[in-house]
Amino acid sequence: MSYPSSPTGESLPSIPPLLARVMRPLPLLPLEIVLARFMQRICRRNPQIFDRLGVHAGKRFGIKPTDLPFAFVIEASTQRPRLSVMRELPAALDARISSSLANLLALVEGRVDGDALMFSRQLVMEGDVEAVLALRNAIDDAGLDLAKEVADLFGPLGEPVRQALDAARNSLMKPNPLSQETRPWS
Amino acid sequence: MELICPAGTPSALKSAIDAGADAIYCGFNDETNARNFPGLNFSRAELRQGIELAHRRGAKILVAINTFPRAGAIEVWHRAVDDAVDAGADALILADIGLMDYTARRHPDQRIHVSVQAAAANPDAIAFYVETFGAKRVVLPRVLSVPEIAAISREIECETEVFVFGGLCVMAEGRCSLSSYATAKSPNMNGVCSPASHVAYEQTREGTSSRLGGFTINRFGANEPAGYPTLCKGRFATELGTGYIFEDPVSLDATALLGGLRDAGVTALKIEGRQRGRAYVESVVRHFRGALEALDAGREADIARLTPFTEGQTTTVGAYRKTWR
């Protein structure tokens, strides 16, 4: 099932600004340690991502969730993928991608179409567009299921975790209606 | 009518099968196909696995080798043909007459489809491909009206396939040089229209500027729907004003015309978009599978459901219903 670019023409909800403000003073290091290990695990389990990245493996991608008070820098190196969490994206990046957190998570799982998000202006990219496309295609092909990836961390106890995360995702990613009219051109 | 669906990755191929595709078209990860984009397409091993999966599920795989070979590098295209045949492709989608000749001589039992890139838009041209190379199907260019398609179908000895959704080329297909002019990369020979390596987006106070090969080709306001950064959909300032000279950012949606296309004798309906993600493939294929079932049942299909997937968030029936000639 797909959401923002689904035939319903609806878009995903954003993090409420009040909640984002509450998150602003939180320390970033614990989040960085957890997410970096999680990403490295995903990369180990899905080595085909690097085949599709090709010459773009190792480039530095800045990911900015527009509704969160922090951003991520990912270096998709074959040897040691790195993820950093920071308040603002640095200048020295190969490419920058920004959208709402829900859109970015849905993109990682291939639940939305990146081009459709770009057409509707819900996703902005800057810098090395070729690298961004390679990353998008590599991740889309990987067929990642983040709930399953997290649940697998819990071994035999993972199934209830997966069910809980699936339910949370389905609830969080329930689209918000947007007025979307068809505009026939001819 | 058969439903022919795009796949740029093995995962998209599986999504297309799951969503109800009768056949899936795809290409190798090199310049032999017209969607030679970064991170996209199939290795030899992936194609073989994809064909095995499709055949197990009752679907066909059509391999697009639809760029025009470069002088001095013909073996790259010959190898693509040989490997696709060896992998068990149900048909090859070809545009170049030299490559069709090679295929017909080297693999006489291999089914050949004439690519839209060949721009075969009249019965004489199509008859040439059928009589000379034994082509079994022609993918018609997106410049024909439904009555013109019906007229062609009556006069030719092969099947017809037409696009029903996705990106549009307003040029004579396979002959467009706009992207080549701006980037020195040819969609017809390198397989890249508006190659991403030459695209740049710049965020300004007024909105987003898109540039191709150093040319600013459009500027979108903050909430204005956007399209692909192709020159044919660029917005230019001239002495007559500012606007889209060739074509608006808009996508084809022929859902409303399926009955007319069936009556015109069309064999297969094609969805554009090998460069799109799994979500697009799944949703669009599922929509057209439902639309075909509705057609068979005498019901009307929902014609507005796919707008979120379209360039400029706008749809057209294009040349099928010509109001502008």
Side-chain angles (χ1 to χ4, degrees):
Chain A
M1 177 179 249
S2 58
Y3 293 106
S5 45
S6 73
T8 57
E10 297 166 343
S11 79
L12 297 177
S14 298
I15 304 281
L18 185 61
L19 180 58
R21 272 203 294 277
V22 170
M23 296 164 79
R24 197 183 300 272
L26 293 176
L28 301 183
L29 187 59
L31 183 63
E32 178 172 301
I33 291 171
V34 170
L35 289 181
R37 288 189 178 169
F38 185 55
M39 187 191 76
Q40 286 160 4
R41 188 170 188 275
I42 287 176
C43 290
R44 276 198 309 275
R45 287 157 59 104
N46 298 275
Q48 74 277 19
I49 288 176
F50 296 101
D51 294 337
R52 290 203 171 268
L53 270 174
V55 298
H56 304 290
K59 289 191 173 172
R60 297 181 81 224
F61 298 91
I63 313 291
K64 173 58 185 155
T66 50
D67 48 354
L68 283 182
F70 42 82
F72 310 97
V73 174
I74 291 173
E75 194 175 322
S77 158
T78 317
Q79 279 76 35
R80 186 171 170 76
R82 292 183 180 179
L83 183 148
S84 311
V85 184
M86 40 195 71
R87 303 284 176 199
E88 298 291 339
L89 288 177
L93 292 168
D94 291 295
R96 295 161 179 255
I97 304 163
S98 58
S99 191
S100 70
L101 178 66
N103 277 341
L104 292 169
L105 291 174
L107 259 180
V108 168
E109 292 195 318
R111 292 172 187 274
V112 295
D113 178 66
D115 289 2
L117 288 182
M118 190 194 76
F119 296 153
S120 61
R121 311 302 303 283
Q122 296 182 64
L123 180 140
V124 172
M125 59 177 152
E126 294 175 278
D128 187 338
V129 175
E130 192 173 50
V132 173
L133 283 191
L135 179 67
R136 191 276 305 267
N137 291 331
I139 290 175
D140 195 75
D141 182 54
L144 299 177
D145 180 337
L146 295 178
K148 183 174 183 311
E149 294 286 346
V150 172
D152 286 352
L153 295 171
F154 293 85
L157 302 175
E159 183 53 25
V161 175
R162 189 189 64 76
Q163 289 179 4
L165 289 173
D166 273 344
R169 175 175 57 200
N170 291 339
S171 170
L172 180 70
M173 292 198 168
K174 195 172 178 180
N176 278 338
L178 277 182
S179 64
Q180 187 104 40
E181 296 176 9
T182 309
R183 295 187 292 130
W185 175 75
S186 63
Chain B
M1 290 184 287
E2 290 176 31
L3 190 54
I4 315 296
C5 307
T9 63
S11 288
L13 185 149
K14 184 176 179 303
S15 293
I17 294 173
D18 291 343
D22 293 309
I24 299 98
Y25 65 105
C26 51
F28 289 124
N29 50 5
D30 58 28
E31 59 192 320
T32 62
N33 81 93
R35 287 289 183 273
N36 181 22
F37 295 161
L40 208 64
N41 294 317
F42 289 65
S43 67
R44 264 54 177 177
E46 287 170 338
L47 180 70
R48 190 174 288 277
Q49 291 162 5
I51 289 174
E52 287 171 4
L53 172 68
H55 288 175
R56 276 201 307 276
R57 302 280 302 275
K60 293 185 172 70
I61 296 292
L62 321 179
V63 180
I65 307 174
N66 58 345
T67 47
F68 295 85
R70 279 183 294 111
I74 188 72
E75 67 279 1
V76 175
W77 279 260
H78 285 176
R79 198 162 53 242
V81 167
D82 295 342
D83 290 347
V85 173
D86 189 49
D90 294 286
L92 304 189
I93 307 171
L94 307 174
D96 180 71
I97 55 172
L99 208 54
M100 286 192 211
D101 182 62
Y102 174 83
T103 306
R105 290 173 189 275
R106 189 71 173 258
H107 308 286
D109 296 330
Q110 179 63 52
R111 185 179 172 94
I112 294 174
H113 291 183
V114 181
S115 169
V116 69
Q117 286 278 95
N122 60 69
D124 286 352
I126 295 166
F128 171 76
Y129 292 111
V130 173
E131 291 164 10
T132 312
F133 308 118
K136 297 289 191 289
R137 181 181 294 182
V138 59
V139 185
L140 293 173
R142 288 161 278 194
V143 295
L144 299 167
S145 66
V146 175
E148 287 170 333
I149 292 170
I152 287 173
S153 296
R154 283 194 295 271
E155 291 188 44
I156 62 174
E157 299 295 325
C158 72
E159 302 167 352
T160 52
E161 182 173 309
V162 300
F163 282 91
V164 289
F165 190 82
L168 277 173
C169 284
V170 291
M171 310 303 169
E173 298 191 60
R175 291 152 172 76
C176 177
S177 292
L178 280 175
S179 179
S180 307
Y181 174 77
T183 69
K185 293 270 191 180
S186 163
N188 311 313
M189 299 179 76
N190 306 110
V192 279
C193 177
S194 300
S197 54
H198 290 66
V199 173
Y201 293 104
E202 185 186 3
Q203 307 306 317
T204 65
R205 200 172 298 171
E206 293 81 26
T208 302
S209 292
S210 56
R211 296 170 67 83
L212 180 69
F215 299 95
T216 299
I217 59 174
N218 214 332
R219 183 173 294 136
F220 298 99
N223 298 310
E224 187 181 10
Y228 284 124
T230 59
L231 269 175
C232 60
K233 288 166 185 169
R235 187 159 39 180
F236 302 99
T238 72
E239 58 189 17
L240 298 176
T242 299
Y244 292 100
I245 291 178
F246 304 106
E247 185 186 15
D248 292 42
V250 60
S251 294
L252 173 71
D253 183 357
T255 305
L257 302 179
L258 296 186
L261 293 170
R262 180 190 57 188
D263 295 344
V266 166
T267 309
L269 307 173
K270 185 167 208 160
I271 295 166
E272 185 274 347
R274 282 189 287 137
Q275 75 282 11
R276 307 292 292 261
R278 283 183 290 127
Y280 168 95
V281 170
E282 184 188 335
S283 293
V284 178
V285 174
R286 209 172 284 287
H287 166 82
F288 275 97
R289 175 53 61 203
L292 284 174
E293 288 170 357
L295 184 68
D296 289 341
R299 290 182 278 111
E300 287 202 5
D302 182 353
I303 60 170
R305 297 182 68 210
L306 298 177
T307 306
F309 289 108
T310 59
E311 285 190 73
Q313 308 286 275
T314 309
T315 62
T316 176
V317 291
Y320 290 140
R321 189 184 287 154
K322 284 179 183 163
T323 57
W324 34 266
R325 174 178 279 181

